[in-house]
Amino acid sequence: MAIHPVIMAGGSGTRFWPLSRKARPKQFLPLASKNPLITDTVSRLKGLASVKDTLIVCGPSHAKQAARLVKGLPKKNLLVEPVARNTAPAIALAALAVAARDPEGILVVLPSDHHVADTRGFQKVLTEAARVAAGGHLVTLGITPQRPETGYGYIQVGEALPGGGRQVKAFREKPDPETARRYVDSGEYVWNAGIFVFRADAILAAFDEHMPEMRKGLDALRKVVGKRTFPAALKRVFPKLPSVSIDYGVMEKAKNLAVLPGDFGWSDVGSFSAIPEVRPADEHGNVVSGPEAVVVDCKGCVVLADKRPLAVVGLTDMVVVDSGDAVLVVPKDKSQDVRKVVEALKARKRDKFL
């Protein structure tokens, strides 16, 4: 049972402006440690799978950076999407690449920009998920909820399955606060982490069944995987594939699903307000980074400084970020709105700051 990690490294990471830019999105930032998130993602798989069996899926503008950060990645394992087409086509591309080498190989699909505190616990759940997937199930990992979170989707968990894992009763969109509290109190729901485990042939069969609009394009690519004509075919076919998420395109429709609940210190590091979940805070709850950062009489703040001095005085629950050429100041509970800054800069055509 060979495991092939598939690291999804697309996306622009607009919620981390001004640190994140088009050329340096969230997955390339050292938000949870001294290393970029994508580097940590690959490192926590050591002992479970080899880098030589790992695939990275990203866009053309990030390919060189991804290859540089993932040491030892074979050139053929860097799958470059000609255009962004959401997660279903990206995963289909990876499944085609794995199936050409190992039809029953197990894909472990991971976002490149999440954080896991308990690597050993994470690997234990992935090993069990791979075992369940080897039996033909499409497996998704669910995170035991720590609070009534409105920023995540939820999975309703059913009875235990004979081959391992639990039934998936339903996928639920991001809820309002009252609904989120009801989900957590019921004990029937887990957070949807966007982590999937399945055999290459099983997920390709699921695409054929549940996304027939992709079948023609995937058939055309299947015929030329590994051949010299593949790049040209990919450039021609991929932009025509439907831009659909794997959740909506396959997982919400398939019958051979299984969910494995887990609790291994997971965070999607979704905004600056999540930084205290993944970095140590001082005795006043402040997370401070940067050699010249000065924090006085502050509580619950996130202060990220560049090389120049940054002084913050008398603030509570604020985010202050200096990227060297731009400064952001926002209340922690409004940090999801940072993307609106990016939209405003686009409207003003301030491309040098994007």
Side-chain angles (χ1 to χ4, degrees):
M1 183 178 68
I3 291 177
H4 302 266
V6 177
I7 312 299
M8 307 290 284
S12 56
T14 55
R15 286 172 293 183
F16 282 91
W17 187 91
L19 298 182
S20 62
R21 306 293 173 93
K22 284 182 180 178
R24 193 180 182 224
K26 170 189 168 188
Q27 59 269 27
F28 300 132
L29 298 176
L31 293 174
S33 72
K34 294 180 180 180
N35 302 314
L37 290 171
I38 189 172
T39 304
D40 284 344
T41 299
V42 175
S43 294
R44 73 175 62 104
L45 297 170
K46 187 177 181 180
L48 186 70
S50 166
V51 174
K52 292 183 179 179
D53 290 322
T54 298
L55 291 83
I56 306 289
V57 184
C58 65
S61 61
H62 303 138
K64 287 185 179 179
Q65 200 166 180
R68 178 175 59 82
L69 291 173
V70 181
K71 306 297 183 184
L73 184 76
K75 186 176 181 180
K76 65 179 181 179
N77 288 13
L78 184 63
L79 306 179
V80 182
E81 306 167 279
V83 295
R85 301 304 290 158
N86 216 315
T87 55
I91 290 171
L93 176 61
L96 288 173
V98 171
R101 313 170 198 176
D102 180 8
E104 294 189 356
I106 305 292
L107 277 72
V108 173
V109 180
L110 302 166
S112 60
D113 56 359
H114 290 182
H115 172 72
V116 170
D118 179 7
T119 297
R120 182 175 296 181
F122 180 61
Q123 289 197 4
K124 184 177 179 180
V125 174
L126 284 183
T127 300
E128 174 64 8
R131 188 190 66 76
V132 176
H137 279 89
L138 308 181
V139 182
T140 182
L141 267 58
I143 307 301
T144 304
Q146 306 298 313
R147 59 188 179 275
E149 174 63 56
T150 60
Y152 301 149
Y154 285 71
I155 301 170
Q156 188 177 14
V157 176
E159 299 297 322
L161 294 168
R166 307 281 293 275
Q167 291 177 342
V168 174
K169 294 180 71 174
F171 288 88
R172 305 295 186 191
E173 298 296 326
K174 296 175 182 178
D176 58 42
E178 183 180 343
T179 303
R181 184 171 298 280
R182 191 172 71 249
Y183 286 171
V184 173
D185 289 346
S186 74
E188 295 181 10
Y189 290 84
V190 292
W191 290 337
N192 186 350
I195 299 172
F196 308 101
V197 184
F198 28 61
R199 280 195 340 229
D201 55 359
I203 189 60
L204 288 173
F207 281 124
D208 286 346
E209 179 180 357
H210 303 295
M211 296 187 67
E213 66 274 26
M214 286 223 305
R215 187 177 301 158
K216 183 178 179 181
L218 294 184
D219 284 345
L221 293 175
R222 258 191 204 101
K223 296 174 183 176
V224 293
V225 172
K227 298 181 180 179
R228 287 184 300 173
T229 54
F230 181 75
L234 183 65
K235 191 173 182 179
R236 183 181 69 254
V237 170
F238 199 82
K240 299 176 183 177
L241 298 180
S243 182
V244 179
S245 72
I246 188 70
D247 295 79
Y248 182 78
V250 173
M251 303 303 285
E252 294 182 11
K253 302 171 183 176
K255 303 299 182 186
N256 57 329
L257 295 182
V259 57
L260 262 71
D263 185 5
F264 35 77
W266 173 87
S267 171
D268 76 338
V269 200
S271 68
F272 283 115
S273 65
I275 295 297
E277 297 177 7
V278 300
R279 282 195 184 188
D282 65 16
E283 65 271 23
H284 303 294
N286 301 306
V287 176
V288 182
S289 176
E292 301 296 336
V294 178
V295 176
V296 179
D297 294 334
C298 292
K299 293 180 180 179
C301 290
V302 174
V303 180
L304 307 179
D306 193 56
K307 297 175 183 178
R308 60 184 176 179
L310 174 64
V312 182
V313 181
L315 298 183
T316 299
D317 293 333
M318 296 290 291
V319 174
V320 182
V321 180
D322 178 8
S323 66
D325 64 346
V327 175
L328 170 74
V329 181
V330 61
K332 270 204 308 193
D333 62 2
K334 294 287 186 182
S335 58
Q336 291 279 357
D337 292 338
V338 171
R339 63 179 66 189
K340 294 180 181 178
V341 176
V342 177
E343 293 168 5
L345 290 170
K346 286 180 180 177
R348 297 181 186 184
K349 298 183 179 179
R350 304 292 284 167
D351 291 351
K352 70 176 183 177
F353 295 115
L354 296 173

